[in-house]
Structures are given as structure tokens and as C-alpha cells.
Amino acid sequence: MIYTHEVDGYNYGSVNFIKSDPNHIPKAKIGVLLSNPTDEQFVGLLVTTESIEASNAIFEELKTQMGTPEILSQEPEANENDQVLGYSAYLWRQKSNHSAILYRSYEHMDDKRNIASSLYLVSNKTKVTDPNQNELVVDRLIRTYK
């Protein structure tokens, strides 16, 4: 993966990303998955945001563009303190031979709910780079988030 925190000007559908203050944890980053570490062929994209607004907007945009997802992990319920903690994950397999996986992490910080999200858009043909593995990247992501 090659990452950038310089996300101004990038968007996913109608969701625009905004660069955060460099003295704080980045609110968003974008990464490109290469077919192998020495190649320049892009085979996937990773979009990460720590903003509840952007996380919800990305989820809605995915449902609008790609339809109803397969649920890999259910959204957690609020605990006795009305905190939602844990994660959920969703999968969209596309006819264009790529998949989208959205991982949502539910947090409670400074008495406020937050959702951080990671969106993976990957080719269904790309294998992990570990030479001892014959696993597809999309299958590894599904196994990780299920």
C-alpha cells in the first residue's frame, strides 16, 4: 500500500474528504494497493476516515451505488451505558470483478459516539503477497472482518 494524508480534493461519490490538522491524528487517508511491492499496477484502493459524518456518508453512498450489502458482521448494540462499541463489516461483490468491503469501528471518546471506517475496493483476482499463501486479498479481508 502507498498512503497519503493529503486528501483534500479526493472524494468517493458525493463524499468529500478534508485534511485534518497535522498535529492531530489524521481524520482521513487514502491508500493504493499495488499488485506487488515493486510494481506500479493498482489493484485496489483503501479509504479510511475517523469522522462519523464521513463514515455514515460513505456507507450511504455505497448502498446507493452498489445496492444492499452482504453483512459480514452485524452492527453492535448499545451497552448499559448507552455506548456502542465494537465493529461491523459489509461486502459488495460487483460484476465488474471487484469487491467493496466496508469495516466500521464504533467508539466512544470524550463522551461522544464516533465511527471510524475503512473502505477497501479490490480486484477479485489479486492474491496476497505472502509467497506461502495462495489466498485472494478479498478472501483475506472477508476472513479478517467476519
Side-chain angles (χ1 to χ4, degrees):
M1 295 290 292
I2 298 173
Y3 292 100
T4 183
H5 297 285
E6 301 293 327
V7 298
D8 286 346
Y10 287 94
N11 66 301
Y12 180 76
S14 63
V15 182
N16 294 312
F17 297 100
I18 300 168
K19 181 182 174 190
S20 62
D21 183 323
N23 296 320
H24 295 95
I25 296 172
K27 298 282 186 212
K29 70 180 175 181
I30 296 173
V32 177
L33 176 64
L34 303 174
S35 59
N36 67 59
T38 59
D39 197 351
E40 293 182 2
Q41 180 183 359
F42 298 156
V43 293
L45 183 68
L46 169 63
V47 177
T48 302
T49 182
E50 296 173 357
S51 157
I52 192 169
E53 293 83 9
S55 291
N56 288 335
I58 288 171
F59 192 30
E60 292 306 314
E61 187 74 26
L62 283 163
K63 290 188 287 186
T64 298
Q65 289 184 11
M66 298 184 192
T68 304
E70 176 184 337
I71 299 171
L72 300 176
S73 298
Q74 291 282 346
E75 184 174 321
E77 294 184 19
N79 63 20
E80 63 276 356
N81 297 323
D82 199 34
Q83 296 177 340
V84 178
L85 304 171
Y87 67 92
S88 62
Y90 306 89
L91 168 67
W92 291 264
R93 289 194 190 263
Q94 299 297 292
K95 293 178 183 174
S96 61
N97 204 27
H98 76 277
S99 292
I101 296 174
L102 180 65
Y103 169 78
R104 293 166 49 97
S105 174
Y106 301 83
E107 308 162 340
H108 210 84
M109 297 170 34
D110 300 325
D111 293 325
K112 294 181 185 176
R113 287 185 180 179
N114 192 39
I115 301 173
S117 293
S118 295
L119 169 61
Y120 300 87
L121 300 168
V122 296
S123 165
N124 290 335
K125 297 179 180 179
T126 302
K127 294 184 178 182
V128 296
T129 57
D130 185 339
N132 300 320
Q133 298 287 320
N134 195 26
E135 186 175 27
L136 295 172
V137 170
V138 69
D139 291 335
R140 170 76 59 89
L141 290 167
I142 290 169
R143 187 167 49 90
T144 299
Y145 295 124
K146 199 163 191 174

